[in-house]
Amino acid sequence: MPKFSIVMPLLMQRDYQYRITLACIKNIEAFSYDYELIVLHSMASFMGKDVEKLLRKNDKYISFKNNPSQVEVLNKAIEISKGEYIILIGNDNFVHQDWLLEIDKRLDNPEFQILGCSVDRVLPEEVAILQEKYPDGIKSANFSYLNFQGLTIKKTILDDVGPFDPKLPFYYWERDYDLRLEDRGIKVGAVLNSYMTTPQSMTRLDWTLPKGIKNWWSDEAMEKEINYYKQKWGSRVS
């Protein structure tokens, strides 16, 4: 069994995103070890065959034709995963060399039970300052901030906290998990020497949806779910 199950949900694919996704998969293979890759798409994807060509024997590509939400897709991936740890990575993120090694050697840290990559690369002049401030090389963060940034969670923690809430839309299900982890005293940390970057071209996201596909990001689609989130947590959320 692999130690890590890297889960990569795909955003809606358009031209440049398509090319970046394929490059991202190659990048993970170059700088990772002891893992299986689970690539997920919540609708029939024209890029499926190209993705499958890049996957190794034990990797998985799963396309959902009934257009489930991102949360439902992630929960399914965790259900079928074989690794001891789940790693969430976006298809627009490029890992750097030793990213996984730096996380791996800190998994037994007693203070932080969930780890992720540093969003900002540490400059040479900052190293000494940060080493003094964070001797373990880990900076406190939260789930919603590090999600899809190499966020590494032991599967037993996911079993304890429970699956991501499928009733909540993008962003809100992440904040929901922040609160659930907080209630259990589970802390999240960013590993300062583990880096991940996003190509600038991904800021030009094209959310044009094919005909007949539900828009999970529209105000109308989200209103009911947001009200549920507010009722669930009351005064703890704004």
mmCIF file of all heavy atoms in Angstrom, residues 18 50 74 172:
data_model
loop_
_atom_site.group_PDB
_atom_site.id
_atom_site.type_symbol
_atom_site.label_atom_id
_atom_site.label_comp_id
_atom_site.label_asym_id
_atom_site.label_seq_id
_atom_site.Cartn_x
_atom_site.Cartn_y
_atom_site.Cartn_z
ATOM 1 N N TYR A 18 -5.877 23.091 -19.406
ATOM 2 C CA TYR A 18 -5.680 21.718 -19.848
ATOM 3 C C TYR A 18 -4.184 21.393 -19.901
ATOM 4 O O TYR A 18 -3.724 20.390 -19.371
ATOM 5 C CB TYR A 18 -6.322 21.554 -21.218
ATOM 6 C CG TYR A 18 -5.923 20.327 -21.993
ATOM 7 C CD1 TYR A 18 -6.406 19.071 -21.644
ATOM 8 C CD2 TYR A 18 -5.073 20.423 -23.091
ATOM 9 C CE1 TYR A 18 -6.057 17.953 -22.358
ATOM 10 C CE2 TYR A 18 -4.724 19.309 -23.821
ATOM 11 C CZ TYR A 18 -5.213 18.078 -23.456
ATOM 12 O OH TYR A 18 -4.859 16.966 -24.167
ATOM 13 N N ASP A 50 -5.838 11.775 -22.301
ATOM 14 C CA ASP A 50 -4.499 12.342 -22.147
ATOM 15 C C ASP A 50 -4.015 12.216 -20.703
ATOM 16 O O ASP A 50 -2.833 11.973 -20.450
ATOM 17 C CB ASP A 50 -4.489 13.813 -22.566
ATOM 18 C CG ASP A 50 -4.645 13.980 -24.077
ATOM 19 O OD1 ASP A 50 -4.266 13.055 -24.811
ATOM 20 O OD2 ASP A 50 -5.152 15.026 -24.501
ATOM 21 N N LEU A 74 -14.537 14.788 -3.692
ATOM 22 C CA LEU A 74 -13.432 14.595 -2.746
ATOM 23 C C LEU A 74 -13.731 13.458 -1.771
ATOM 24 O O LEU A 74 -12.856 12.635 -1.479
ATOM 25 C CB LEU A 74 -13.170 15.888 -1.984
ATOM 26 C CG LEU A 74 -12.523 17.028 -2.771
ATOM 27 C CD1 LEU A 74 -12.448 18.287 -1.911
ATOM 28 C CD2 LEU A 74 -11.135 16.646 -3.256
ATOM 29 N N TYR A 172 -17.160 27.457 1.691
ATOM 30 C CA TYR A 172 -17.857 27.259 2.952
ATOM 31 C C TYR A 172 -17.597 25.880 3.545
ATOM 32 O O TYR A 172 -17.538 25.727 4.762
ATOM 33 C CB TYR A 172 -19.356 27.503 2.766
ATOM 34 C CG TYR A 172 -19.659 28.966 2.564
ATOM 35 C CD1 TYR A 172 -19.716 29.515 1.286
ATOM 36 C CD2 TYR A 172 -19.845 29.819 3.652
ATOM 37 C CE1 TYR A 172 -19.966 30.867 1.095
ATOM 38 C CE2 TYR A 172 -20.094 31.172 3.468
ATOM 39 C CZ TYR A 172 -20.147 31.686 2.184
ATOM 40 O OH TYR A 172 -20.376 33.032 1.996
#
